[in-house]
Amino acid sequence: MAELNINGNRRMLIGKVVSDKADKTIVVLVETLVKHPLYKKYIRRRTKFMAHDPANDCKIGDKVQIVEFRPLSRRKRWHLDKILEKAV
């Protein structure tokens, strides 16, 4: 689900919203596939990122694209770029 596009100096990631409880903040789960160095098997790595959602548009289950941004708080360094797919 993760997509690392280097566009200028800003990384873009695609993930799924797992929490929207905080005001103007979403938690996005990003999955990447990494090849094991010895066994050559692909392993799924999961990372959670906190992203700024200024309009509180996102809900749990939405597929979103986030972009690297200046630090807004201790853990929030990403900004919502666009909602790719709304949850049903």
Side-chain angles (χ1 to χ4, degrees):
M1 210 178 230
E3 193 172 294
L4 289 168
N5 293 338
I6 299 178
N7 192 356
N9 287 336
R10 293 198 173 174
R11 287 197 307 156
M12 288 184 180
L13 297 173
I14 294 176
K16 193 174 185 180
V17 177
V18 291
S19 174
D20 63 346
K21 291 180 192 232
D23 187 34
K24 297 186 180 179
T25 303
I26 55 173
V27 180
V28 180
L29 182 75
V30 176
E31 287 187 346
T32 55
L33 286 176
V34 180
K35 197 175 203 178
H36 192 280
L38 178 62
Y39 300 117
K40 311 298 185 223
K41 181 178 178 178
Y42 284 97
I43 303 166
R44 188 170 288 138
R45 299 268 184 207
R46 294 178 180 162
T47 313
K48 286 190 206 173
F49 294 99
M50 292 182 86
H52 187 61
D53 179 14
N56 281 327
D57 290 332
C58 292
K59 299 294 175 215
I60 295 175
D62 290 352
K63 187 176 177 183
V64 295
Q65 180 175 337
I66 56 176
V67 66
E68 219 171 15
F69 202 66
R70 64 181 172 84
L72 296 171
S73 68
R74 183 169 69 99
R75 295 182 56 207
K76 201 156 75 166
R77 276 120 172 85
W78 294 84
H79 199 277
L80 174 68
D81 191 28
K82 58 185 161 188
I83 301 172
L84 302 174
E85 212 176 280
K86 290 294 262 180
V88 177

